[in-house]
Amino acid sequence: MGRGIRKVNPFRVAQKAFRPSRPDLIVDARVRKLQVLRAWAGIVVTVAVAAVYRVTAPKELASERFGDAWINVLILTCVLPLVVGGFVVAARPPNRGAFARRLRYPLIAVGAMFGSMFTFVLAAVPDLEGVRDAAGPVVMVPVGVVLFLWMLPFTLYGIVLSLTNVFRTADIHELVPPLVSVAASWVMAVVNVFDDSFKGVPNLLAFALILGAPVTVSALAYYEVRRLRLLHSITLRNTLLR
């Protein structure tokens, strides 16, 4: 009974869906800690800036930060196929085929994320209000409990894991996450230039915040790639068989 409950624990299921699990995956504990630190540091800084420079109610502030995190996920999913596709195409056989077969792992993570978000859309979209009313409290109350107690923690934890693990792209190859994260962070910086993410924040601070994320991610990616080269003799050239 206890083991069965652990198997359906939303945090445990999220880990299975969003964490890389390739048996021969090289895991660098130092890089891993830096990745987690970078993800949480970004969240803390953006929340602190929004709280100080914007007159925002706590509920609205939480909604805005969730929206920012979701935009990051959307941008990541847009950049991911471009970078991963280029990586696979650039590789020579037999590595090209091996990398292509591993694409199913990021697809599982992306599908799980958008599937979980879609359930909230179905629960809130106005066009389905009649269907929800017809179902009545006998159906909607249990559904609401499941959404709040299981799907919500699964989705929130999934967003953090998706941003930290770059949608399990390490299951394709260890070099893919740094490549995707660098591309996505710079795209996000360009998006922030043209939207109101830092409205009310002094220009100099806003500029530092916009560049802070991509510069930090790029530095971490360089450190990660360098350790792969020095400790494991993995380079982009020998990975692509070029």
Side-chain angles (χ1 to χ4, degrees):
M1 181 66 177
R3 183 176 298 179
I5 293 176
R6 285 195 296 270
K7 286 183 178 180
V8 298
N9 181 298
F11 298 103
R12 187 180 181 88
V13 176
Q15 289 175 353
K16 287 183 174 295
F18 300 108
R19 275 187 177 173
S21 59
R22 181 161 52 90
D24 58 343
L25 178 67
I26 297 173
V27 179
D28 190 316
R30 183 177 297 179
V31 171
R32 177 70 184 173
K33 290 178 181 178
L34 289 174
Q35 288 173 336
V36 174
L37 179 62
R38 182 250 305 158
W40 283 104
I43 294 172
V44 171
V45 169
T46 53
V47 170
V49 170
V52 171
Y53 288 100
R54 301 172 68 175
V55 182
T56 307
K59 183 178 180 180
E60 294 174 349
L61 179 61
S63 177
E64 288 176 1
R65 293 309 101 193
F66 177 80
D68 289 345
W70 180 239
I71 290 173
N72 276 301
V73 169
L74 292 176
I75 289 176
L76 186 59
T77 55
C78 291
V79 172
L80 189 148
L82 298 177
V83 177
V84 170
F87 183 86
V88 173
V89 171
R92 288 178 175 173
N95 283 10
R96 181 184 298 167
F99 297 154
R101 287 190 292 273
R102 295 172 184 172
L103 291 174
R104 66 182 183 274
Y105 299 111
L107 290 176
I108 289 172
V110 172
M113 175 52 60
F114 280 87
S116 65
M117 291 301 299
F118 187 64
T119 59
F120 290 100
V121 173
L122 291 178
V125 65
D127 293 342
L128 295 179
E129 185 175 355
V131 176
R132 293 192 293 269
D133 290 341
V138 175
V139 174
M140 295 310 300
V141 169
V143 169
V145 171
V146 172
L147 282 175
F148 183 76
L149 294 182
W150 198 95
M151 192 60 73
L152 183 60
F154 173 83
T155 303
L156 294 177
Y157 190 41
I159 289 176
V160 174
L161 291 178
S162 295
L163 296 176
T164 304
N165 297 300
V166 199
F167 278 123
R168 290 185 66 172
T169 47
D171 277 332
I172 299 174
H173 190 272
E174 287 80 0
L175 286 174
V176 179
L179 294 176
V180 175
S181 59
V182 168
S185 66
W186 283 104
V187 170
M188 187 64 194
V190 173
V191 171
N192 284 334
V193 170
F194 295 101
D195 66 12
D196 294 327
S197 295
F198 299 104
K199 183 179 179 181
V201 179
N203 291 336
L204 186 60
L205 179 58
F207 182 74
L209 290 170
I210 289 172
L211 287 183
V215 170
T216 302
V217 170
S218 299
L220 177 60
Y222 172 79
Y223 179 75
E224 185 174 357
V225 171
R226 185 172 181 272
R227 285 181 66 84
L228 287 172
R229 175 174 60 84
L230 295 178
L231 299 180
H232 306 285
S233 300
I234 293 176
T235 67
L236 187 61
R237 176 173 293 182
N238 64 32
T239 296
L240 301 179
L241 301 179
R242 292 286 175 179

